[in-house]
Amino acid sequence: MNSAKAIAQQLGWTEMVERQADQVCEVRARRSQGDQDVAFGARPFILCGLPIRRLPAGALSYRRQNGRFILDIVGHPEWGVPFGQDRLLLLYLATQAVRFQSPVVWFRSGAEILIDWGMPTNGCHYKRLFDAFRRVFGSTMFFGTSDDRKDLQVWQCSRVHFFDAMKLSLTETGAKTVARDNSVTLSPEFWHELQQHPIPVDAEVVRLLARNPGCLDLYTWLTWRCYQAKGSERVPLFGSYGLANQLGVQTFSRERKFRERINSWLKLVRLYWPECPARVSSNGAFLELSNALAVLPRAAQDALTAKLTAVAFQS
């Protein structure tokens, strides 16, 4: 049963749950019709998530590793490391850059970004958005690969600033502005990474998970990882190469807590992507998954998006 009423009854009926059930049905319907709204993410932040919460005071470095891929971020001394909903800014800029095939992203106001991801356009969210711009602009990213070979360790890495320049006027009255006077110029390295490896994701799912950055991380990670899977595969939950070291979660006092969190996030992901094959193994040590598509091909896809979707996961 996929009706909104049936889903709401499953979740426990409230007015809020009924609205969520309607949203779930809409996402599933557009998916089944091949009419998904496709957004794009940058590979470094799909493979390795930003921190979900603000780092402790004074902490300016952050590292995540996904197999041979390593992400290091050094934050600005005053503004710190990007975290939480800052990932929505990166998704927005990546999407606009890929859609318009330009490293310069123009927009009318902060309201345009907030509305695009279904966020309120009040003063609090404007301030959060402005702070996100500062944290992202002030940070330096190191993204590369580490290969252990016999008697030799090879580390290949690029140092990247996200933006080369930006011009912002993020006022609450900006929503009424007609001209696209605000702009962000992506750094050549970041733009090259987007050109070579744009990762397609369902934009409507991003909107619905915007207030849950941990679950959003898992959804985007599964979008990439299930596409890459050659068959049935297992990803360890813990250890140096485990899922806990790839997502943006902070440390857990007990492994059981992380396992519970992953199971709760998977339940949400499957609401919007019922065919998602990911499951925590019976012994609780692995995430089991197989090949699957979170973004389905669309019959009426334009040539640019079709091309980008086809090559997005090549690495």
Side-chain angles (χ1 to χ4, degrees):
M1 293 188 298
N2 280 331
S3 70
K5 183 176 180 180
I7 293 171
Q9 288 173 337
Q10 250 185 319
L11 297 173
W13 197 296
T14 66
E15 186 176 342
M16 182 180 296
V17 167
E18 188 173 1
R19 286 199 302 270
Q20 185 185 18
D22 288 333
Q23 293 167 340
V24 169
C25 287
E26 178 68 18
V27 169
R28 292 183 180 184
R30 293 191 65 174
R31 174 181 166 77
S32 66
Q33 295 162 9
D35 187 35
Q36 291 164 289
D37 181 12
V38 179
F40 294 92
R43 183 178 59 155
F45 311 112
I46 302 294
L47 273 62
C48 305
L50 293 176
I52 293 175
R53 299 183 180 88
R54 188 190 299 272
L55 297 185
L60 294 176
S61 62
Y62 173 80
R63 164 175 279 220
R64 280 295 179 266
Q65 183 167 357
N66 185 329
R68 65 190 184 95
F69 292 99
I70 298 172
L71 173 69
D72 277 302
I73 299 178
V74 178
H76 187 276
E78 183 179 351
W79 305 323
V81 174
F83 72 96
Q85 291 181 345
D86 295 359
R87 56 197 12 92
L88 296 175
L89 173 60
L90 291 169
L91 280 167
Y92 176 83
L93 295 173
T95 298
Q96 297 304 309
V98 172
R99 283 178 178 173
F100 293 99
Q101 284 295 283
S102 171
V104 182
V105 177
W106 295 89
F107 52 98
R108 295 183 182 88
S109 67
E112 187 173 330
I113 299 174
L114 294 172
I115 291 170
D116 200 52
W117 291 134
M119 305 298 289
T121 56
N122 55 35
C124 174
H125 283 82
Y126 269 94
K127 184 180 184 305
R128 288 182 187 176
L129 180 60
F130 184 73
D131 289 343
F133 269 106
R134 295 200 299 182
R135 282 189 289 268
V136 173
F137 183 76
S139 296
T140 301
M141 176 183 76
F142 301 82
F143 181 67
T145 59
S146 177
D147 292 319
D148 291 318
R149 303 177 186 176
K150 187 176 181 181
D151 301 324
L152 179 67
Q153 185 179 53
V154 179
W155 188 45
Q156 187 174 356
C157 183
S158 296
R159 181 175 63 182
V160 178
H161 287 286
F162 302 95
F163 309 155
D164 265 2
M166 64 180 182
K167 177 189 174 186
L168 301 177
S169 176
L170 298 180
T171 62
E172 292 186 54
T173 57
K176 300 177 182 178
T177 303
V178 175
R180 290 180 176 270
D181 290 333
N182 295 284
S183 67
V184 171
T185 302
L186 306 182
S187 67
E189 297 85 0
F190 192 37
W191 170 231
H192 178 73
E193 171 65 35
L194 276 174
Q195 286 180 299
Q196 296 300 310
H197 307 285
I199 308 296
V201 296
D202 190 323
E204 190 57 37
V205 177
V206 173
R207 293 182 188 104
L208 295 171
L209 296 178
R211 293 169 178 80
N212 189 341
C215 190
L216 177 57
D217 262 8
L218 181 62
Y219 167 73
T220 55
W221 183 90
L222 284 169
T223 296
W224 165 81
R225 193 63 182 78
C226 289
Y227 182 94
Q228 289 281 358
K230 305 302 180 185
S232 296
E233 299 183 6
R234 305 175 102 197
V235 178
L237 291 184
F238 308 103
S240 301
Y241 296 98
L243 184 63
N245 201 35
Q246 299 175 32
L247 303 180
V249 293
Q250 266 70 4
T251 56
F252 284 83
S253 56
R254 297 178 181 176
E255 291 184 352
R256 174 175 57 85
K257 293 294 184 182
F258 178 73
R259 202 176 289 116
E260 290 173 356
R261 183 65 59 88
I262 292 299
N263 273 317
S264 68
W265 287 342
L266 282 173
K267 183 178 179 181
L268 265 180
V269 168
R270 283 194 288 268
L271 276 179
Y272 306 118
W273 180 15
E275 302 86 359
C276 176
R279 300 287 188 278
V280 175
S281 64
S282 57
N283 65 1
F286 299 92
L287 184 71
E288 298 175 335
L289 51 83
S290 58
N291 183 263
L293 293 175
V295 177
L296 299 179
R298 294 184 292 178
Q301 220 167 19
D302 63 81
L304 173 62
T305 305
K307 176 185 175 184
L308 290 170
T309 303
V311 304
F313 295 98
Q314 294 176 7
S315 56

